[in-house]
Amino acid sequence: MSAPYTTHADLGGRLGFGPVVPEPEDVRFHADWEPAALAIVLAMGATGSWNIDMSRAARETLPGYRRLSYYQIWLAAMEKLMLERGQLQADELEAGCMLHPPVPLQRVLRREQVAAVLAAGSPTVRPEGPAPRFAAGDRVRMRAHGVPHHTRLPGYARGKVGTVARVHGAHVFADSHAQGLGEDPQPLYTVVFEGAELWGPDATPGLRVSIDAWEPYLEGA
């Protein structure tokens, strides 16, 4: 029996992790190796061996998540994904070098392609998908229960009531995508919550929080 799915990344609204210390927007790296880590992870992602939601699931389930730095998490998750796919062997990881013939890849990101690929991004909007059930102004309640897989619904919003502010059309549904179940496009909404609904009567007066949420997360309130 496989271990239960546990995310170590959903910390919103939870206490005991110390203060959030903002950094200047132009601080991108904290060590010389980090730009190379970013490049390697992007290059492997471009091979099509996994999708972005699979990579997020790999990151948030790392046992050492909370003691790792940002790019250490990226590297450790990439190693995990590669090991699962036979693209990397444990003895190679231990040795720090290739010991076995490489496995074939769907595609390879060439140096001359990088700028165009990064500029194009990976849009998630899709023309297909069910018609939205809700409209701007509707009151909705978020799904109250947890799920045994990757999800983009933060724990602090479970069971909470908010108001639909915008309807964005159908987008790739991260929950299905992370499990390898296809893109499963679902209507995506921006839902606005009063601070007191999320945090209780001690919330800062006038505080509002907006969350982008797919329709499977919502029910009428």
Side-chain angles (χ1 to χ4, degrees):
M1 180 180 294
S2 60
Y5 190 96
T6 302
T7 173
H8 302 288
D10 190 5
L11 304 181
R14 298 172 61 184
L15 302 177
F17 299 101
V20 175
V21 182
E23 292 186 336
E25 289 293 327
D26 60 349
V27 175
R28 298 179 176 86
F29 304 107
H30 295 84
D32 292 342
W33 59 268
E34 292 182 341
L38 171 61
I40 292 168
V41 172
L42 290 179
M44 277 305 302
T47 67
S49 300
W50 51 80
N51 61 55
I52 189 171
D53 296 304
M54 291 175 179
S55 68
R56 287 170 172 156
R59 292 170 194 173
E60 71 182 5
T61 54
L62 291 170
Y65 181 92
R66 292 176 191 168
R67 62 175 172 77
L68 299 175
S69 69
Y70 184 77
Y71 284 110
Q72 285 176 332
I73 290 171
W74 277 41
L75 279 179
M78 183 190 70
E79 292 169 356
K80 177 180 178 180
L81 290 163
M82 292 180 71
L83 284 166
E84 291 172 350
R85 288 155 179 77
Q87 298 168 335
L88 177 67
Q89 301 299 323
D91 58 347
E92 295 176 307
L93 194 57
E94 179 68 24
C97 63
M98 187 172 71
L99 301 175
H100 308 284
V103 300
L105 298 171
Q106 294 183 35
R107 54 181 179 265
V108 175
L109 180 63
R110 304 294 180 184
R111 179 176 180 176
E112 62 274 11
Q113 300 171 320
V114 171
V117 168
L118 294 182
S122 300
T124 61
V125 64
R126 297 293 183 267
E128 69 275 15
R133 292 173 50 209
F134 304 104
D138 286 350
R139 297 279 285 170
V140 293
R141 183 182 299 275
M142 297 294 104
R143 181 183 66 209
H145 60 277
V147 291
H149 53 70
H150 175 72
T151 184
R152 301 293 283 173
L153 176 62
Y156 66 79
R158 291 179 188 169
K160 305 299 184 179
V161 175
T163 302
V164 173
R166 294 186 63 186
V167 183
H168 299 285
H171 285 249
V172 176
F173 185 34
D175 295 46
S176 297
H177 207 213
Q179 299 177 76
L181 301 177
E183 294 189 338
D184 188 20
Q186 297 290 332
L188 183 70
Y189 306 86
T190 295
V191 182
V192 180
F193 301 85
E194 297 295 332
E197 172 70 10
L198 298 177
W199 317 122
D202 293 333
T204 302
L207 173 67
R208 291 181 174 179
V209 176
S210 296
I211 294 176
D212 285 343
W214 282 274
E215 189 164 285
Y217 299 168
L218 279 58
E219 62 181 27

